[in-house]
Amino acid sequence: MSIRLYVEGGGDAKAQKIACREGFRMLIDKAGLTRRMPRIVACGSRRNAFESFEMALAQSATSDVFPMLLIDSEAPATAANPWRYLQTRDGWAHPDGATDSQCHLMVQCMEAWFLADRQALIGYFGQHFQESALPGNPNVEAVRMLDLLDGLERATRQTSKGTYSKGKHSFPILGALDPAKVEAAAPSAKRFLDTLRSLSGVVE
């Protein structure tokens, strides 16, 4: 069985899709999952990721592919019952045959994982990065998405890499994160990586 991971991100440009795949690949690899690296499909929008997953799921009965979905929650959410969350918030019906282990949320967005490893942010942006501008709540999944993105913009304004841009900066930062720090701070990230470990037969 091979794992195919449909992720939100990458926009419409080829270079951004490559960067998206590479960022997630590096994070997953550092989490000790080299033996069963999923094939990562950068889908652009949340909706495109969901629809791509649905199509893959419909085909999985006649293939050896196990599809998974990974998207931003864009609002407060718990790790439990992700399909119910998407049905309530987005009106997306639970795909027939999909299990909870196939649906994963980045709460409230991927950038929340960045707050778990501020050293990676400092290392990436370098001089003049204003860490104090970031939200101070250690519960990274409780930080509102708009507050998080605003904090990243203010923290990076004076850096040589320029103000934070999701398409330009997000995936190199993702690849630089320490997955142990991310898992410790974000239950959604731990659930995601633990699911991959279970599928991979990795025992810790």
Side-chain angles (χ1 to χ4, degrees):
M1 179 186 68
S2 62
I3 303 166
R4 193 166 297 170
L5 179 64
Y6 294 87
V7 300
E8 175 183 356
D12 298 320
K14 181 178 179 180
Q16 284 192 18
K17 288 185 183 296
I18 291 172
C20 176
R21 292 195 298 268
E22 180 64 8
F24 280 104
R25 186 200 65 77
M26 290 178 67
L27 181 72
I28 293 168
D29 181 70
K30 287 191 289 185
L33 289 153
T34 306
R35 289 193 302 166
R36 198 128 206 221
M37 178 65 61
R39 178 182 170 190
I40 299 163
V41 183
C43 298
S45 72
R46 291 172 84 244
R47 182 79 202 193
N48 284 345
F50 175 72
E51 291 177 349
S52 296
F53 169 84
E54 276 192 308
M55 288 188 287
L57 182 67
Q59 298 167 0
S60 64
T62 57
S63 72
D64 65 347
V65 172
F66 183 82
M68 294 175 63
L69 176 67
L70 179 64
I71 58 176
D72 291 345
S73 71
E74 296 192 344
T78 62
N81 299 313
W83 290 123
R84 186 181 302 170
Y85 171 83
L86 293 177
Q87 187 168 17
T88 300
R89 182 187 183 275
D90 297 281
W92 297 348
H94 185 158
D96 289 341
T99 65
D100 284 351
S101 66
Q102 289 175 284
C103 183
H104 295 270
L105 303 172
M106 296 177 282
V107 183
Q108 298 181 21
C109 59
M110 181 180 69
E111 284 82 358
W113 295 4
F114 299 174
L115 293 183
D117 188 358
R118 295 177 182 230
Q119 287 305 119
L121 283 172
I122 294 168
Y124 178 80
F125 284 103
Q127 192 175 17
H128 304 305
F129 178 78
Q130 299 294 319
E131 184 182 358
S132 61
L134 297 175
N137 191 340
N139 182 358
V140 300
E141 294 189 344
V143 178
R144 288 197 322 148
M145 183 170 69
L146 292 178
D147 293 340
L148 173 51
L149 296 177
D150 177 68
L152 280 169
E153 289 179 4
R154 289 188 290 109
T156 56
R157 244 172 230 157
Q158 305 301 319
T159 68
S160 61
K161 284 187 167 68
T163 301
Y164 176 76
S165 167
K166 195 172 183 73
K168 182 178 180 181
H169 301 127
S170 56
F171 301 118
I173 296 169
L174 180 68
L177 298 177
D178 179 345
K181 292 181 180 179
V182 176
E183 288 185 86
S188 62
K190 179 169 175 54
R191 177 178 178 270
F192 167 63
L193 292 172
D194 278 348
T195 299
L196 288 180
R197 291 187 183 103
S198 176
L199 292 168
S200 304
V202 174
V203 178
E204 295 192 326

